[in-house]
PDB file of all heavy atoms in Angstrom:
ATOM      1  N   ILE A 450     -28.776  96.585 -21.119  1.00 84.00           N
ATOM      2  CA  ILE A 450     -27.516  95.860 -20.978  1.00 84.00           C
ATOM      3  C   ILE A 450     -27.323  95.364 -19.551  1.00 84.00           C
ATOM      4  O   ILE A 450     -26.646  94.356 -19.312  1.00 84.00           O
ATOM      5  CB  ILE A 450     -26.328  96.752 -21.404  1.00 84.00           C
ATOM      6  CG1 ILE A 450     -25.096  95.896 -21.690  1.00 84.00           C
ATOM      7  CG2 ILE A 450     -26.029  97.808 -20.362  1.00 84.00           C
ATOM      8  CD1 ILE A 450     -25.220  95.077 -22.941  1.00 84.00           C
ATOM      9  N   ARG A 451     -27.932  96.026 -18.574  1.00 87.00           N
ATOM     10  CA  ARG A 451     -27.829  95.571 -17.183  1.00 87.00           C
ATOM     11  C   ARG A 451     -28.505  94.210 -16.999  1.00 87.00           C
ATOM     12  O   ARG A 451     -28.062  93.401 -16.178  1.00 87.00           O
ATOM     13  CB  ARG A 451     -28.471  96.600 -16.248  1.00 87.00           C
ATOM     14  CG  ARG A 451     -27.776  97.948 -16.192  1.00 87.00           C
ATOM     15  CD  ARG A 451     -28.435  98.808 -15.115  1.00 87.00           C
ATOM     16  NE  ARG A 451     -27.869 100.143 -15.050  1.00 87.00           N
ATOM     17  CZ  ARG A 451     -28.335 101.193 -15.717  1.00 87.00           C
ATOM     18  NH1 ARG A 451     -29.389 101.037 -16.512  1.00 87.00           N
ATOM     19  NH2 ARG A 451     -27.791 102.380 -15.590  1.00 87.00           N
ATOM     20  N   VAL A 452     -29.569  93.979 -17.719  1.00 87.00           N
ATOM     21  CA  VAL A 452     -30.248  92.682 -17.647  1.00 87.00           C
ATOM     22  C   VAL A 452     -29.302  91.575 -18.092  1.00 87.00           C
ATOM     23  O   VAL A 452     -29.226  90.501 -17.474  1.00 87.00           O
ATOM     24  CB  VAL A 452     -31.517  92.681 -18.530  1.00 87.00           C
ATOM     25  CG1 VAL A 452     -32.158  91.302 -18.549  1.00 87.00           C
ATOM     26  CG2 VAL A 452     -32.516  93.722 -18.029  1.00 87.00           C
ATOM     27  N   ILE A 453     -28.563  91.839 -19.159  1.00 87.00           N
ATOM     28  CA  ILE A 453     -27.627  90.844 -19.686  1.00 87.00           C
ATOM     29  C   ILE A 453     -26.501  90.585 -18.693  1.00 87.00           C
ATOM     30  O   ILE A 453     -26.136  89.431 -18.421  1.00 87.00           O
ATOM     31  CB  ILE A 453     -27.070  91.319 -21.043  1.00 87.00           C
ATOM     32  CG1 ILE A 453     -28.210  91.439 -22.065  1.00 87.00           C
ATOM     33  CG2 ILE A 453     -25.994  90.367 -21.547  1.00 87.00           C
ATOM     34  CD1 ILE A 453     -27.791  92.046 -23.383  1.00 87.00           C
ATOM     35  N   MET A 454     -25.926  91.661 -18.120  1.00 89.00           N
ATOM     36  CA  MET A 454     -24.821  91.498 -17.183  1.00 89.00           C
ATOM     37  C   MET A 454     -25.255  90.734 -15.938  1.00 89.00           C
ATOM     38  O   MET A 454     -24.567  89.791 -15.492  1.00 89.00           O
ATOM     39  CB  MET A 454     -24.236  92.850 -16.785  1.00 89.00           C
ATOM     40  CG  MET A 454     -23.147  92.751 -15.722  1.00 89.00           C
ATOM     41  SD  MET A 454     -22.414  94.338 -15.260  1.00 89.00           S
ATOM     42  CE  MET A 454     -21.315  94.607 -16.640  1.00 89.00           C
ATOM     43  N   THR A 455     -26.393  91.123 -15.351  1.00 90.00           N
ATOM     44  CA  THR A 455     -26.841  90.448 -14.129  1.00 90.00           C
ATOM     45  C   THR A 455     -27.253  89.002 -14.402  1.00 90.00           C
ATOM     46  O   THR A 455     -27.164  88.146 -13.505  1.00 90.00           O
ATOM     47  CB  THR A 455     -28.010  91.204 -13.491  1.00 90.00           C
ATOM     48  OG1 THR A 455     -29.040  91.433 -14.478  1.00 90.00           O
ATOM     49  CG2 THR A 455     -27.555  92.536 -12.934  1.00 90.00           C
ATOM     50  N   ALA A 456     -27.670  88.706 -15.630  1.00 91.00           N
ATOM     51  CA  ALA A 456     -28.038  87.327 -15.973  1.00 91.00           C
ATOM     52  C   ALA A 456     -26.819  86.416 -15.923  1.00 91.00           C
ATOM     53  O   ALA A 456     -26.860  85.331 -15.325  1.00 91.00           O
ATOM     54  CB  ALA A 456     -28.680  87.278 -17.356  1.00 91.00           C
ATOM     55  N   ILE A 457     -25.717  86.840 -16.551  1.00 92.00           N
ATOM     56  CA  ILE A 457     -24.516  85.999 -16.553  1.00 92.00           C
ATOM     57  C   ILE A 457     -23.917  85.900 -15.151  1.00 92.00           C
ATOM     58  O   ILE A 457     -23.401  84.850 -14.757  1.00 92.00           O
ATOM     59  CB  ILE A 457     -23.469  86.529 -17.561  1.00 92.00           C
ATOM     60  CG1 ILE A 457     -22.311  85.546 -17.722  1.00 92.00           C
ATOM     61  CG2 ILE A 457     -22.954  87.890 -17.156  1.00 92.00           C
ATOM     62  CD1 ILE A 457     -22.676  84.267 -18.410  1.00 92.00           C
ATOM     63  N   VAL A 458     -24.026  86.982 -14.371  1.00 94.00           N
ATOM     64  CA  VAL A 458     -23.526  86.937 -12.992  1.00 94.00           C
ATOM     65  C   VAL A 458     -24.357  85.968 -12.164  1.00 94.00           C
ATOM     66  O   VAL A 458     -23.803  85.153 -11.401  1.00 94.00           O
ATOM     67  CB  VAL A 458     -23.543  88.350 -12.366  1.00 94.00           C
ATOM     68  CG1 VAL A 458     -23.248  88.275 -10.869  1.00 94.00           C
ATOM     69  CG2 VAL A 458     -22.531  89.254 -13.060  1.00 94.00           C
ATOM     70  N   GLU A 459     -25.675  86.022 -12.299  1.00 93.00           N
ATOM     71  CA  GLU A 459     -26.535  85.110 -11.541  1.00 93.00           C
ATOM     72  C   GLU A 459     -26.276  83.652 -11.908  1.00 93.00           C
ATOM     73  O   GLU A 459     -26.190  82.781 -11.030  1.00 93.00           O
ATOM     74  CB  GLU A 459     -28.004  85.440 -11.781  1.00 93.00           C
ATOM     75  CG  GLU A 459     -28.950  84.538 -11.000  1.00 93.00           C
ATOM     76  CD  GLU A 459     -30.411  84.828 -11.262  1.00 93.00           C
ATOM     77  OE1 GLU A 459     -30.721  85.847 -11.907  1.00 93.00           O
ATOM     78  OE2 GLU A 459     -31.260  84.029 -10.820  1.00 93.00           O
ATOM     79  N   ALA A 460     -26.132  83.370 -13.208  1.00 94.00           N
ATOM     80  CA  ALA A 460     -25.888  81.993 -13.642  1.00 94.00           C
ATOM     81  C   ALA A 460     -24.568  81.467 -13.085  1.00 94.00           C
ATOM     82  O   ALA A 460     -24.496  80.332 -12.592  1.00 94.00           O
ATOM     83  CB  ALA A 460     -25.887  81.923 -15.165  1.00 94.00           C
ATOM     84  N   SER A 461     -23.518  82.286 -13.141  1.00 95.00           N
ATOM     85  CA  SER A 461     -22.201  81.837 -12.674  1.00 95.00           C
ATOM     86  C   SER A 461     -22.147  81.728 -11.157  1.00 95.00           C
ATOM     87  O   SER A 461     -21.557  80.789 -10.612  1.00 95.00           O
ATOM     88  CB  SER A 461     -21.116  82.797 -13.177  1.00 95.00           C
ATOM     89  OG  SER A 461     -21.047  82.793 -14.587  1.00 95.00           O
ATOM     90  N   ILE A 462     -22.754  82.700 -10.448  1.00 95.00           N
ATOM     91  CA  ILE A 462     -22.787  82.631  -8.988  1.00 95.00           C
ATOM     92  C   ILE A 462     -23.560  81.399  -8.530  1.00 95.00           C
ATOM     93  O   ILE A 462     -23.158  80.712  -7.579  1.00 95.00           O
ATOM     94  CB  ILE A 462     -23.426  83.905  -8.404  1.00 95.00           C
ATOM     95  CG1 ILE A 462     -22.512  85.117  -8.618  1.00 95.00           C
ATOM     96  CG2 ILE A 462     -23.721  83.734  -6.919  1.00 95.00           C
ATOM     97  CD1 ILE A 462     -21.192  85.043  -7.894  1.00 95.00           C
ATOM     98  N   SER A 463     -24.664  81.093  -9.203  1.00 94.00           N
ATOM     99  CA  SER A 463     -25.439  79.893  -8.861  1.00 94.00           C
ATOM    100  C   SER A 463     -24.588  78.640  -8.995  1.00 94.00           C
ATOM    101  O   SER A 463     -24.645  77.737  -8.139  1.00 94.00           O
ATOM    102  CB  SER A 463     -26.671  79.786  -9.775  1.00 94.00           C
ATOM    103  OG  SER A 463     -27.534  80.879  -9.622  1.00 94.00           O
TER     104      SER A 463
END
Side-chain angles (χ1 to χ4, degrees):
I450 198 71
R451 295 186 183 92
V452 175
I453 297 173
M454 175 179 282
T455 52
I457 189 69
V458 171
E459 181 182 350
S461 297
I462 291 296
S463 298

